[in-house]
Amino acid sequence: MAITEENPGYKWVGTRPVRPDGVEKVTGKARFGADLILPGMLHGKVVRSPHAHARIVSIDTSAAESMEGVKAVITGADFPDLAANGAHPSEIDVANNTIARDKVLYEGHVVAAVAAITREQAEAAAKAVTVTYEVLPHVLTVDEAMADDAPLLHDAMITKGVDPAPEEPSNIASKILHERGDLDQGFGEADSVVEREFTTKPVHQGYIEPHAAVADANTDGRAHIWCSSQGHFQMRAYTATVLGVSPGTLKVTAAEIGGGFGGKTVIYLEPLAVRLSQRAGRPVKLVMDRDEVFRATGPTSGTRIKVKMGVSKDGKITAAEVWMAYEAGAYAGSPVGAAGMTAIACYDIPNFVVEGYDVVCNKPRVAAYRAPGAPMAAFAVESVLDELARNIEMDPIDIRLANAAVEGTQASYGPKFPRIGFVETLEAIKEHPNYTADLGPNQGRGVAAGFWFNAGMMSSATVHINENGTATVVTGSPDIGGSRQSMALMAAEELGIPYESIKPVVADTETVGFNDVTGGSRVTLATGAAVVDACRLIVEDLRGRAAKTWDVEVDQVEWVDGQAQHVDGAQPPLSLNDLAAKSGRTGGPISANASLNSRGVGAGFSTQLCDVEVDPETGVTKVVRYLTAQDAGRAISPDYVEGQMQGGVVQGIGWALNEEYIHDTEGVMENPSFLDYRIPVASDLPMIDCAIVEVPNPAHPYGVRGVGEVGIVPPMAAVGNAIHDAVDVRMTELPMSPIKVLEALNENDG
Amino acid sequence: MPRTHITTVINGDETEFLTEDSTSLLNALRDEVGLTGAKEGCGTGDCGACSILVDDRVNCACLMFAPEADGTVIVTVEGLADSGELHPLQQCFLEGAALQCGICTPGFLMAAKALLDKNPDPTETEIRYALAGNLCRCTGYDKIIRAVQEAAREMRGQ
């Protein structure tokens, strides 16, 4: 483990205790989205479009309604017409993606939903809903969607970000552009120039828990929703919008969440469950099947990306030109914006143009997926950089060091970087024994790097001191990967009491202040900062109570190791336990709230080293060794920092080698199962070696940057560069499946 | 619709329930018996989140019809701890941080128990292949494999 700055003697931060919610999760007691069973609860089932693009001519629900056990059937007509109400276009998109009104825009688009007493009755009723469609021509890729005479998904879509605005509608929702310097001059100064074109396919977040929601509506217009969500406040807001009600009428309780990776920051089932519950007068549970998860949720974009870069003999990048088109799926909102900002953000490049397009097509609407947009761009840029390093015979770490962004570098997307740890991740790789480990026949080694902003956003926390001096730490950030432990470790450090004396709780929307989603690697940073703020208010309160007890000024009291101490030792210390027991006599219960809009994010960098073995007979690539170095800022909870690093890498390996959406010519997904959409399994992989780098973020009390996302940015290029090193073929299409590697090998031989 | 009466031993207790013939054992366990520890990740036997032991063999509960359970002895994750004492696998998963979201954990624990019951000293490769039917999207498997290795050591008394 490479620590670049001294750990200032923390007692709890940086340790590896057992997670607070662990026992419930290894004994089967933890309740996830589908685990709630309420008295009288009905089972729901959703009816989905079999067509990629069609106009809904009519929906006949009469047969379904008359079936045994059926209590409610709803269609788009059961929801307010937000377009007619003048809602914001993004709200209209959310509503129309939840349930189609006039047109279906992808196979799997919801058109109706039913609720019945048993699961079997609901399934039968869903099949009995008769929908008449007028099938329309469809477009499945950015190339089809951007063609001159392409059929349009949205008749009024005028490309944003183009001046003057186009007069004709198209499938291009927006254009982004970042420019600096003079491209011609930059390429003129280069000693080697490489230009390549890359394509990637849509891939799914692949959380193991399908979406699930239970709603219990009351006759007074209020409703309670339990759902698997990365952000139940966000869920409440979206659901209220789609239902046309005030958010305050909805109470949302976050179930334990079985993975999300960005894909559970959006709504699918919640408004449907509420409306069904209202119609039926009973609680309703909706749970997706796996094939529904694939057909209608997530994924992230398929892309086409062109990269041209030049370097001088000493390894300096003189110019970079990037063109990218990202599939948004059915509605505007691909992550091309973030892709454009991250594509070359690792490097200090004097001359560049980065141009990107957000393109709608007849596939499910994309959702956030771990560092949204960045991995595909990094695959392209880091592959080209690898080729440039080879051309000028420079070490792949050294060429990155020669161009690395450091404190003060003007980032390609605008601001100047504060203190960042990219160089330290590069050095951590170079110093690790894996960098010089022997390679066998048909084995190769690849390096790649990645950048992600990390988010801040809004969080709230409440800390209660119990009567025995233990503490309850309440936040509204669903714990998707161990964040309760981070909250408890920071609270223990602040209050000076044992980690085991802290109970971290994820509360519902009525029990704690607003929290933005668990996403953007932000919870330990922003919700953690709210917890620290609340704990500091508690300590201030405790000092005041001790001063009152001793009849001294508050500045005579220090808080040390969980007890109030008189600065001169004139009084015996008062422990938190003592103060809590007497709280009734010193002002009442001890409790504090803190809410904040994050004071400063800390950019994250990761550099990774991949060793592969390629079977030249079959084209199968096996990852034989893997090392990831990532700047965590401060690893509050090193076990779960490593977990994020390892998990991100392995998702990236799946993206690199196996995973892709496959659609037939009619726009129907052909592989909507874990059998045919193959995510990595244990036998595919080696151990994933981790080097945690700690360059503290100056804007966080413990230096946290956030660790969830950047780990998925480098793997595809690291694997591709390793394949090149092993068998001398440059892979430019994902996934780098055996057939594609074999074709590339055969082309080389030919 | 007529329902079938099923008698089984679940986690050591004789348990009876009624089920439709087309209901999966997983749905019967979750909806009729009230044991929601086994999870449905796919319903097609591809993810292993519903792994349980049926007559000492690891099975995907989603791939069995509930009536097939008649007369069998079933162990689910809820039955893994012994009188409140965690099984070494559970303890090692906790201490080794071998879970993040935790949805796959019940299935991994049962599949790992089935492995260690038969092979108390598996190699890393044997563990990886024995658990290849269980998907985890969070951990990259590293800490899961290490936790199973550690539990195996403890169960061998090392």
Side-chain angles (χ1 to χ4, degrees), chain A residues 186-476:
Chain A
F187 283 118
E189 290 165 6
D191 294 304
S192 176
V193 174
V194 168
E195 186 170 6
R196 291 271 187 191
E197 186 170 331
F198 300 83
T199 59
T200 74
K201 295 289 181 58
V203 294
H204 198 273
Q205 294 81 349
Y207 32 83
I208 307 301
E209 181 202 32
H211 297 260
V214 175
D216 188 8
N218 295 323
T219 53
D220 61 2
R222 296 183 182 275
H224 191 169
I225 303 168
W226 293 260
C227 59
S228 169
S229 159
Q230 285 176 249
H232 41 312
F233 288 88
Q234 181 77 71
M235 199 82 14
R236 182 179 66 165
Y238 283 145
T239 302
T241 297
V242 174
L243 292 169
V245 300
S246 156
T249 62
L250 303 175
K251 171 181 179 177
V252 185
T253 299
E256 294 301 327
I257 175 169
F261 315 105
K264 290 178 183 166
T265 56
V266 287
I267 55 163
Y268 298 103
L269 299 175
E270 292 77 8
L272 307 177
V274 172
R275 194 61 96 220
L276 285 169
S277 178
Q278 287 171 333
R279 295 283 188 266
R282 289 164 67 166
V284 174
K285 180 193 277 189
L286 277 172
V287 183
M288 286 195 200
D289 294 336
R290 176 56 53 181
D291 76 293
E292 295 179 279
V293 174
F294 275 116
R295 289 182 202 278
T297 76
T300 192
S301 309
T303 70
R304 191 153 70 80
I305 302 173
K306 292 185 272 193
V307 174
K308 180 183 178 185
M309 289 170 77
V311 292
S312 58
K313 270 185 287 210
D314 60 357
K316 280 282 185 192
I317 303 171
T318 58
E321 186 176 12
V322 181
W323 181 97
M324 48 179 78
Y326 275 52
E327 293 174 16
Y331 300 93
S334 81
V336 72
M341 293 165 79
T342 58
I344 55 171
C346 287
Y347 306 111
D348 188 1
I349 302 175
N351 308 292
F352 61 80
V353 174
V354 178
E355 181 183 342
Y357 296 90
D358 179 24
V359 184
V360 296
C361 64
N362 294 109
K363 287 181 185 168
R365 177 177 212 184
V366 299
Y369 181 20
R370 208 168 203 157
M376 311 77 142
F379 170 56
V381 168
E382 293 289 310
S383 294
V384 166
L385 190 56
D386 187 73
E387 203 166 342
L388 288 166
R390 286 174 186 281
N391 288 356
I392 61 167
E393 297 180 349
M394 194 166 184
D395 175 274
I397 294 287
D398 289 345
I399 196 170
R400 288 170 172 83
L401 282 169
N403 297 282
V406 296
E407 183 174 0
T409 299
Q410 188 99 45
S412 58
Y413 59 91
K416 279 194 174 159
F417 282 117
R419 182 83 174 91
I420 52 174
F422 181 34
V423 165
E424 287 80 355
T425 67
L426 289 161
E427 288 169 344
I429 295 286
K430 206 168 179 181
E431 289 160 10
H432 194 280
N434 284 19
Y435 199 62
T436 49
D438 291 336
L439 290 170
N442 297 316
Q443 292 189 350
R445 178 163 294 152
V447 167
F451 160 80
W452 184 248
F453 317 92
N454 296 327
M457 308 200 284
M458 294 187 284
S459 286
S460 301
T462 301
V463 176
H464 305 289
I465 303 299
N466 301 313
E467 56 269 38
N468 66 343
T470 60
T472 307
V473 173
V474 186
T475 73

Side-chain angles (χ1 to χ4, degrees), chain A residues 390 434 437-447 608-616 619-627 649 652-654 656-657 684-686 688 714-729 731 736 741 745:
Chain A
R390 286 174 186 281
N434 284 19
D438 291 336
L439 290 170
N442 297 316
Q443 292 189 350
R445 178 163 294 152
V447 167
Q608 300 180 3
L609 183 70
C610 173
D611 290 357
V612 300
E613 182 170 322
V614 181
D615 183 338
V620 168
T621 300
K622 174 109 180 155
V623 175
V624 296
R625 197 179 286 118
Y626 207 103
L627 168 65
V649 163
I653 290 172
L657 294 175
D684 295 337
L685 296 160
I688 308 297
M716 287 72 88
V719 171
N721 293 343
I723 290 173
H724 184 276
D725 192 48
V727 291
D728 198 29
V729 295
M731 302 302 297
M736 297 175 274
V741 172
L745 284 168

Side-chain angles (χ1 to χ4, degrees), chain A residues 672-692:
Chain A
S673 73
F674 277 137
L675 185 64
D676 296 319
Y677 182 99
R678 191 178 182 286
I679 72 173
V681 302
S683 54
D684 295 337
L685 296 160
M687 295 295 186
I688 308 297
D689 301 326
C690 293
I692 301 175

Side-chain angles (χ1 to χ4, degrees), chain B residues 38-140:
Chain B
K39 308 300 180 189
E40 180 166 315
C42 66
T44 50
D46 298 317
C47 80
C50 64
S51 299
I52 59 171
L53 301 185
V54 180
D55 292 338
D56 295 326
R57 287 173 59 102
V58 66
N59 274 268
C60 284
C62 74
L63 290 185
M64 285 179 71
F65 288 114
E68 293 181 89
D70 197 46
T72 64
V73 176
I74 291 173
V75 183
T76 71
V77 71
E78 289 95 336
L80 193 52
D82 183 11
S83 306
E85 179 127 346
L86 293 182
H87 186 278
L89 277 163
Q90 291 172 308
Q91 194 60 40
C92 290
F93 268 57
L94 282 181
E95 289 172 2
L99 57 145
Q100 282 176 35
C101 80
I103 193 85
C104 70
T105 308
F108 268 99
L109 289 168
M110 300 317 290
K113 176 173 165 37
L115 167 67
L116 296 187
D117 285 349
K118 285 196 197 69
N119 179 359
D121 191 9
T123 63
E124 181 190 332
T125 302
E126 285 170 336
I127 296 171
R128 286 186 180 277
Y129 277 90
L131 300 181
N134 292 78
L135 300 181
C136 170
R137 192 60 156 174
C138 294
T139 65

Side-chain angles (χ1 to χ4, degrees), chain A residues 21-55:
Chain A
D21 55 330
V23 169
E24 291 185 343
K25 285 181 174 158
V26 298
T27 54
K29 288 183 186 173
R31 287 209 296 190
F32 290 83
D35 294 340
L36 184 70
I37 299 168
L38 293 177
M41 188 177 78
L42 304 174
H43 293 270
K45 184 73 187 170
V46 169
V47 182
R48 296 179 183 278
S49 165
H51 304 295
H53 195 192
R55 195 170 305 286

